[in-house]
């Protein structure tokens, strides 16, 4: 798989683009935002029938909105997010748009620029059918920091997550090449130390400034950071090393520009590692949730049982059932 990736790399023809904007294009995208007529994968607009129930959260700054509603009588969450403006499309954007003056004052003027549709895309994520847990995940809520000892994990967290976790079917689909196979950037197929590296679905892959990939372990018996022992060091080191190499090869981003980490608690309890570009404030990269893989490796080298015994801290949202469990057992 590594060789295959390398071969595909040499033919991407992107060598002359500035590094900060160089991303391998999808076949249907010519890099200027134009799509080859007839080649763009189109689908019927399933969102035409979407009935909004309520806005779960929105952000004028991040230019996104999370909506709960119904799609053909099924519960659904739809996420709309304006995509970044790309340097490599600027010339076409500026020349092909309609400019409407809003105000002019001395040397200052503001306009509304109406861009052609291909420069005006909105990244759209649909979760359908969505569970109540999905709705809560995307709902803006107050958060509380939880302190979880090794014993708390065994007596409170583990029993809870065994009953209430999100399905990891999407993860198995990736590992079994039933979904997203064409998006795989790198794979080490080894059943013990192997993994699949691919773009996180939060990343539209149009620019590397917000680069976001995930490495999903092939082995299926590690739920989270809490399960890690020194015997997993070869797996973790392999993901760290080969993941960084693959990102360098594909996206030309060196290791010292990457933030490589695990979430605790994760949403999906199958071991995976996040690779994001340093400087990009990816959702969930704050200290109360992200654990640098390099620290995880060192901690396990110092103490094989580190993550089994340590008290770990993480935020939980007000309506999270796990928070309720911590409260009911007097741990909060
Ligand atoms: P997490 O820490 O378990 O949960 O990370 P989080 O969503 O609370 O961060 C799982 C990661 O997998 C997240 O970064 C998700 O955006 C990403 N992800 C989730 N799903 C359902 C998919 C998917 O179907 N495909 C891909 N490529 N990424 C996904």
């Amino acid at each position: 798989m590594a060789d295959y990736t390398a071969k595909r790399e040499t033919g991407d023809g992107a060598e002359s683009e500035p590094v900060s904007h160089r991303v391998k294009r999808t076949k249907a995208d010519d890099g200027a935002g134009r799509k080859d007529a007839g080649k763009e994968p189109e689908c019927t607009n399933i969102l035409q029938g979407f009935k909004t129930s309520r806005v779960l959260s929105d952000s004028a700054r991040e230019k996104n909105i999370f909506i709960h509603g119904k799609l053909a009588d099924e519960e659904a969450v739809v996420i709309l997010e304006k995509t970044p403006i790309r340097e490599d499309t600027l010339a076409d954007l500026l020349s092909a748009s309609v400019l409407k003056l809003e105000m002019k004052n001395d040397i200052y003027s503001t306009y509304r620029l109406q861009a052609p549709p291909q420069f005006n895309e909105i990244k759209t994520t649909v979760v359908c059918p969505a569970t109540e847990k999905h709705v809560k995940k995307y709902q803006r809520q107050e958060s509380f920091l939880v302190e979880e000892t090794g014993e708390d994990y065994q007596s409170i967290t583990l029993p809870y997550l065994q009953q209430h976790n999100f399905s990891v079917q999407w993860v198995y689909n990736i590992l079994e090449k039933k979904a997203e196979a064409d998006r795989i950037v790198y794979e080490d197929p080894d059943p013990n130390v192997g993994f699949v590296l691919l773009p996180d679905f939060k990343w539209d892959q149009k620019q590397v400034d917000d680069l976001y990939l995930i490495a999903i372990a092939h082995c299926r018996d590690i739920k989270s950071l809490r399960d890690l022992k020194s015997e997993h060091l070869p797996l973790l080191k392999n993901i760290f090393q080969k993941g960084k190499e693959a990102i360098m090869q594909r996206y030309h981003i060196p290791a010292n520009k990457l933030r490589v980490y695990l979430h605790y608690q994760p949403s999906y309890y199958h071991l995976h590692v996040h690779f994001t570009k340093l400087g990009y404030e990816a959702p969930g990269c704050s200290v109360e949730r992200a654990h640098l893989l390099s620290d995880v490796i060192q901690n396990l080298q110092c103490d094989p049982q580190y993550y089994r015994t340590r008290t770990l801290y993480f935020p939980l949202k007000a309506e999270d059932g796990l928070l309720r469990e911590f409260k009911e057992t007097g741990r909060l």
Side-chain angles (χ1 to χ4, degrees):
M1 198 67 190
D3 289 340
Y4 170 62
T5 303
K7 272 183 216 135
R8 284 198 295 179
E9 264 312 292
T10 52
D12 78 357
E15 292 308 309
S16 59
E17 285 184 60
V19 169
S20 63
H21 293 272
R22 187 165 46 198
V23 172
K24 191 173 167 59
R25 308 283 174 218
T26 58
K27 281 197 187 101
D29 186 340
D30 72 356
R34 286 182 296 264
K35 305 284 180 177
D36 296 346
K39 283 191 184 166
E40 186 180 0
E42 279 186 14
C43 59
T44 48
N45 181 3
I46 54 161
L47 293 178
Q48 266 172 354
F50 182 76
K51 292 195 182 64
T52 301
S53 316
R54 65 193 158 132
V55 171
L56 298 171
S57 69
D58 60 352
S59 163
R61 189 168 167 269
E62 289 167 24
K63 298 182 181 53
N64 60 21
I65 186 163
F66 296 73
I67 319 157
H68 177 208
K70 285 212 162 172
L71 254 183
D73 285 337
E74 291 199 291
E75 298 295 328
V77 172
V78 173
I79 304 165
L80 303 176
E81 184 184 0
K82 294 228 179 186
T83 52
I85 298 165
R86 286 155 49 190
E87 189 180 334
D88 58 338
T89 64
L90 273 183
D92 288 335
L93 171 69
L94 296 179
S95 62
S97 298
V98 174
L99 205 60
K100 296 197 172 168
L101 181 70
E102 279 188 332
M103 74 91 187
K104 185 161 175 53
N105 183 350
D106 191 37
I107 59 169
Y108 307 98
S109 47
T110 66
Y111 301 85
R112 271 179 298 129
L113 184 148
Q114 293 176 343
Q118 68 269 26
F119 300 118
N120 221 356
E121 291 183 347
I122 292 180
K123 184 176 186 304
T124 304
T125 307
V126 178
V127 183
C128 184
T131 62
E132 187 55 30
K133 204 168 156 63
H134 285 109
V135 174
K136 285 185 178 155
K137 173 177 163 72
Y138 294 116
Q139 193 170 10
R140 180 173 295 130
Q141 293 171 43
E142 199 180 349
S143 289
F144 298 88
L145 196 72
V146 172
E147 194 179 317
E148 180 200 71
T149 63
E151 295 84 57
D152 291 335
Y153 175 73
Q154 292 298 335
S155 62
I156 305 172
T157 309
L158 183 58
Y160 180 83
L161 70 88
Q162 280 167 340
Q163 301 244 322
H164 301 278
N165 59 4
F166 281 122
S167 161
V168 288
Q169 187 56 50
W170 68 273
V171 171
Y172 296 156
N173 289 347
I174 289 171
L175 295 177
E176 293 164 17
K177 316 289 161 13
K178 291 178 181 163
E180 304 188 52
D182 56 339
R183 287 159 47 88
I184 293 175
V185 170
Y186 176 82
E187 177 174 18
D188 176 340
D190 187 281
N192 298 313
V193 300
F195 65 98
V196 168
L197 179 76
L198 81 168
D200 191 285
F201 78 167
K202 287 200 284 275
W203 185 35
D204 71 1
Q205 302 180 72
K206 294 280 168 64
Q207 57 287 309
V208 291
D209 284 352
D210 56 351
L211 176 139
Y212 200 144
L213 292 108
I214 41 171
I216 301 175
H218 268 299
C219 64
R220 298 187 178 196
D221 57 351
I222 310 170
K223 285 185 285 306
S224 73
L225 195 63
R226 269 285 183 215
D227 283 342
L228 290 174
K229 291 187 279 189
S230 54
E231 68 189 51
H232 300 122
L233 280 168
L235 165 67
L236 298 174
K237 287 181 182 173
N238 195 42
I239 291 178
F240 199 30
Q241 195 51 38
K242 292 193 181 146
K244 289 187 296 190
E245 284 168 13
I247 289 173
M248 180 63 189
Q249 195 168 23
R250 171 69 68 99
Y251 303 104
H252 311 280
I253 302 290
N256 61 12
K257 291 278 181 190
L258 291 176
R259 187 194 288 117
V260 187
Y261 56 97
L262 291 85
H263 276 159
Y264 193 75
Q265 301 282 337
S267 294
Y268 304 97
Y269 289 88
H270 174 112
L271 188 79
H272 59 275
V273 175
H274 303 250
F275 288 75
T276 61
K277 173 119 185 291
L278 206 61
Y280 165 53
E281 282 184 36
C285 74
S286 45
V287 289
E288 68 272 28
R289 190 147 184 246
H291 297 251
L292 284 180
L293 181 55
S294 45
D295 284 340
V296 172
I297 289 172
Q298 283 196 66
N299 290 337
L300 288 171
Q301 281 169 335
C302 292
D303 176 0
Q305 296 293 323
Y306 188 93
Y307 289 102
R308 304 271 170 141
T309 54
R310 282 285 298 212
T311 295
L312 296 175
Y313 300 83
F314 51 85
L316 287 178
K317 288 184 176 171
E319 288 186 36
D320 194 313
L322 183 57
L323 186 78
R324 199 177 50 239
E325 296 287 321
F326 270 83
K327 280 184 179 160
E328 282 173 5
T329 45
R331 292 289 296 120
L332 201 78

